[in-house]
Amino acid sequence: MYRCIESSHLYPQKIAVVDRGESVTYQQLANESARLASHLLDTSDDLQEARIAFMVPPGKHYVASLWAIWRAGGVAVPLCLTYPLPSLQYVIEDTGARSILITRAFEPLLGEYCAHQGIRLLILEDLSEQDSVMLPDISSQRRALILYTSGTTSKPKGVVTTHANITAQVTTLIDAWGWNASDATLCVLPLHHVHGIINVVSCSLFAGATCYFTESFSAEEVFQWLTSNKLSVFMAVPTIYYKLITYWETLSDLEKKVAHEKMMAFRLMVCGSAALPVTVMEKWQTISGLLLLERYGMTEIGMAISNPYHGERRAGYVGVPLAGVDVKLVDEQGTPVAEGEPGEILIKGPNVFLEYWQNPQATTESFREVGWFCTGDVAVVENGYYRIMGRMSMDIIKSGGYKISALEIEEVLRTHPAVDDCAVIGMPDEEWGELIVAALVLKETSFDTHTLQPWLREKMAAYKTPRKYLVLPELPRNAMGKVVKSSLKQLFA
Ligand code: MCA
Ligand code: AMP
């Protein structure tokens, strides 16, 4: 975490963040984070890993809040800005956060709940000027961040990383992808996941670069940014490149030519979080002249495998292990497979997370031997490069770059009075990677499934809700009574 403070010593007057046209220097960010840290500390001299949740839009306040929590000795818990209250409550209560930093816009959502629960709600706009206090020394082995990830359990798990894990994840990428202080990037990703927090915001700020922020994603606005000559690095998920391509197709030939010339100013564009279709990679090269660099990562490990910055970027492949990250592919017995054979990806290194928050059983089960984390993803090595073949569980869906648990959605759907039983799967989709769909067995056959979307939206973020329903008299099950999701896929197809 001291890398961010180091940047403010090394480049005090350099622009760290540009937020809605306002430029903020590294020194200003350091000062602001110290001020917020003293509010968080209140009368104590070290938060001693107290979990501090924060619901703050991407931009200068987000970065100052994150740094403040770290500098005061807390564990940062970024909240998803589009979650309804029940989803927020789950994260707040699971982490046991007793303080939450917010911008005023979120007071109507969280105010009453926090007052009722006795949680300290700090509204950034209301915090007074404060004399700076002594900030604690934080050992690199201390917990720094909890990010919630959906998996093969119905409830999301809190992934805990230490300051040392984060430093390893960030410095590896800075070295691998040549981040430097003259870089400028644009953050278009949500900041409750690794891709946005680590790869974009932390890499750029640890490197002394400038990070621009947008309020929310709009293909037109992002395209304008990409052709603004202000940026040198850009990172996004495949769905975003797909949406940018769709926007580009609406431009005139002259506009396309100008856009192409302007995008040549980029030194790097990265894609990840889900499989990058070869068609998208090729189309993007025609549009921008740039070959996207695809890489593979996960909340628990940061980035592990990447196409090279210098060297061949192979379409359909995620490249080779990053420096300092050990990767092996194993069969069901845990034996390494031969080159060309598929196996589960296991990862070891200083980038690998510490634990699932207050879930020692899940932590133990996710490791094979000492230190080898089992990703649940299957890959094959061909001519030295890794190719991701898919996931071992059909209960995990990747849609729009978000990892979504089918079980979590099923559990909520089953609480609907009209739903007798259900099964959720992801269907291949050009735009979203996978589209969430649900098969339903209904108690009332006349039930209108269109009413499910608003009902679900009160309980979960929009990106987790099914987009298509199929009503069946019963779900396909095997002899053990388990739903056969592969048969469901055929029914939806
Ligand atoms: C939203 N919509 C969807 C989905 N999401 N429809 C189908 N499937 C979806 N998944 C619908 C909304 O309901 C709405 O429709 C319309 O699309 C616009 O919604 P909005 O939320 O505004 O969408 P958007 O802003 O266009 O979002 C698209 C997005 C977003 C920008 C691609 O999904 C996104 O930010 N994805 C990135 C997630 C990410 O960072 N993942 C990294 C985690 P209507 O108006 O009809 O309701 S993975 C990670 O961190 C690991 C370590 C890694 O490897 O990187
Ligand atoms: P998350 O838990 O949200 O961090 O998502 C991590 C998962 O995203 C991985 O386990 C993979 O299944 C998937 N993923 C990330 N990058 C890629 C990629 N380049 N190609 C295919 N899948 C990917």
Side-chain angles (χ1 to χ4, degrees):
M1 84 110 177
Y2 283 111
R3 283 294 294 256
C4 55
I5 302 308
E6 250 173 54
S7 294
S8 46
H9 294 320
L10 287 170
Y11 319 98
Q13 299 314 320
K14 199 165 176 289
I15 305 300
V17 161
V18 181
D19 180 356
R20 274 160 261 223
E22 184 193 349
S23 298
V24 183
T25 65
Y26 276 93
Q27 186 61 58
Q28 286 169 326
L29 266 187
N31 294 348
E32 180 59 4
S33 62
R35 182 179 80 90
L36 295 180
S38 44
H39 277 286
L40 287 172
L41 283 166
D42 201 9
T43 54
S44 78
D45 54 11
D46 186 334
L47 290 179
Q48 300 285 5
E49 298 191 0
R51 277 75 58 212
I52 310 292
F54 64 117
M55 196 162 183
V56 177
K60 61 175 184 170
H61 292 307
Y62 179 97
V63 176
S65 302
L66 178 67
W67 288 12
I69 297 166
W70 285 346
R71 297 183 77 185
V75 179
V77 183
L79 297 173
C80 171
L81 302 184
T82 57
Y83 272 6
L85 187 58
S87 310
L88 294 170
Q89 253 173 276
Y90 172 73
V91 173
I92 294 164
E93 288 165 21
D94 194 58
T95 55
R98 303 304 301 156
S99 300
I100 307 183
L101 272 174
I102 61 163
T103 47
R104 189 181 306 289
F106 297 108
E107 195 185 5
L109 183 61
L110 284 170
E112 203 182 310
Y113 166 73
C114 289
H116 191 254
Q117 297 293 319
I119 293 172
R120 186 174 170 225
L121 193 62
L122 293 102
I123 301 174
L124 287 170
E125 291 90 335
D126 291 348
L127 297 178
S128 57
E129 285 307 318
Q130 182 106 346
D131 287 337
S132 53
V133 296
M134 272 289 284
L135 296 174
D137 269 337
I138 312 294
S139 114
S140 64
Q141 299 310 318
R142 276 174 57 167
R143 292 172 181 81
L145 188 65
I146 305 183
L147 300 179
Y148 275 77
T149 188
S150 297
T152 47
T153 48
S154 59
K155 291 285 180 206
K157 296 191 290 271
V159 175
V160 180
T161 41
T162 62
H163 291 284
N165 294 144
I166 292 173
T167 302
Q169 292 176 3
V170 172
T171 51
T172 299
L173 292 187
I174 289 180
D175 293 343
W177 296 344
W179 276 103
N180 61 77
S182 56
D183 275 325
T185 193
L186 175 72
C187 178
V188 298
L189 294 165
L191 291 180
H192 62 295
H193 283 301
V194 160
H195 200 161
I197 303 174
I198 300 293
N199 297 21
V200 179
V201 173
S202 297
C203 280
S204 59
L205 297 182
F206 283 30
T210 299
C211 188
Y212 290 80
F213 287 90
T214 55
E215 222 160 308
S216 60
F217 177 78
S218 134
E220 182 178 356
E221 192 195 337
V222 171
F223 206 90
Q224 275 158 13
W225 274 103
L226 298 185
T227 53
S228 66
N229 275 337
K230 287 185 175 151
L231 309 174
S232 58
V233 175
F234 181 65
M235 299 192 188
V237 300
T239 301
I240 289 183
Y241 286 105
Y242 181 95
K243 285 174 179 282
L244 291 170
I245 291 170
T246 307
Y247 173 74
W248 174 87
E249 276 161 356
T250 66
L251 299 180
S252 69
D253 287 348
L254 179 62
E255 286 167 326
K256 285 177 182 167
K257 189 170 171 285
V258 173
H260 183 86
E261 280 158 13
K262 295 209 164 165
M263 277 197 267
M264 298 291 271
F266 275 87
R267 68 167 187 84
L268 175 65
M269 290 201 188
V270 179
C271 185
S273 298
L276 168 64
V278 173
T279 47
V280 171
M281 186 169 175
E282 287 172 351
K283 186 80 189 180
W284 193 255
Q285 191 179 12
T286 314
I287 292 172
S288 66
L290 284 145
L291 204 51
L292 288 173
L293 182 155
E294 185 178 6
R295 58 33 172 210
Y296 162 86
M298 196 173 178
T299 308
E300 287 87 337
I301 59 172
M303 298 302 110
I305 309 176
S306 170
N307 273 284
Y309 179 56
H310 299 290
E312 186 198 356
R313 295 181 196 166
R314 207 178 290 168
Y317 291 79
V318 292
V320 296
L322 284 158
V325 180
D326 289 328
V327 181
K328 65 178 176 182
L329 301 183
V330 300
D331 63 18
E332 278 170 14
Q333 284 68 47
T335 310
V337 298
E339 177 152 350
E341 294 294 322
E344 184 186 4
I345 308 175
L346 266 54
I347 304 287
K348 189 177 182 176
N351 55 310
V352 175
F353 76 126
L354 179 69
E355 60 187 0
Y356 290 115
W357 176 249
Q358 292 193 331
N359 197 340
Q361 190 184 339
T363 307
T364 308
E365 285 169 3
S366 70
F367 284 87
R368 205 187 259 268
E369 307 164 38
V370 180
W372 285 99
F373 172 70
C374 306
T375 61
D377 290 312
V378 176
V380 63
V381 179
E382 290 164 345
N383 300 318
Y385 274 45
Y386 285 71
R387 181 163 64 84
I388 307 292
M389 300 181 73
R391 283 178 301 275
M392 290 164 73
S393 168
M394 283 185 73
D395 290 330
I396 295 174
I397 300 169
K398 265 271 160 164
S399 189
Y402 284 111
K403 190 176 183 183
I404 294 149
S405 163
L407 304 180
E408 185 184 345
I409 304 166
E410 289 165 6
E411 199 168 278
V412 175
L413 276 174
R414 281 198 202 96
T415 66
H416 191 284
V419 175
D420 195 17
D421 203 356
C422 65
V424 170
I425 56 170
M427 288 299 289
D429 184 82
E430 253 194 306
E431 180 173 9
W432 297 100
E434 286 181 296
L435 198 70
I436 307 170
V437 300
L440 301 175
V441 178
L442 294 175
K443 288 179 187 158
E444 315 149 19
T445 41
S446 59
F447 176 71
D448 179 3
T449 53
H450 290 103
T451 60
L452 281 173
Q453 179 71 0
W455 181 82
L456 281 169
R457 285 289 287 110
E458 287 173 14
K459 296 170 174 56
M460 55 176 63
Y463 66 79
K464 293 187 178 181
T465 57
R467 302 288 151 171
K468 277 184 194 159
Y469 294 96
L470 185 64
V471 177
L472 297 174
E474 59 183 338
L475 299 175
R477 290 182 188 275
N478 63 16
M480 316 281 286
K482 203 172 173 327
V483 175
V484 185
K485 292 202 166 177
S486 52
S487 304
L488 269 186
K489 273 206 164 177
Q490 285 165 13
L491 286 176
F492 270 100

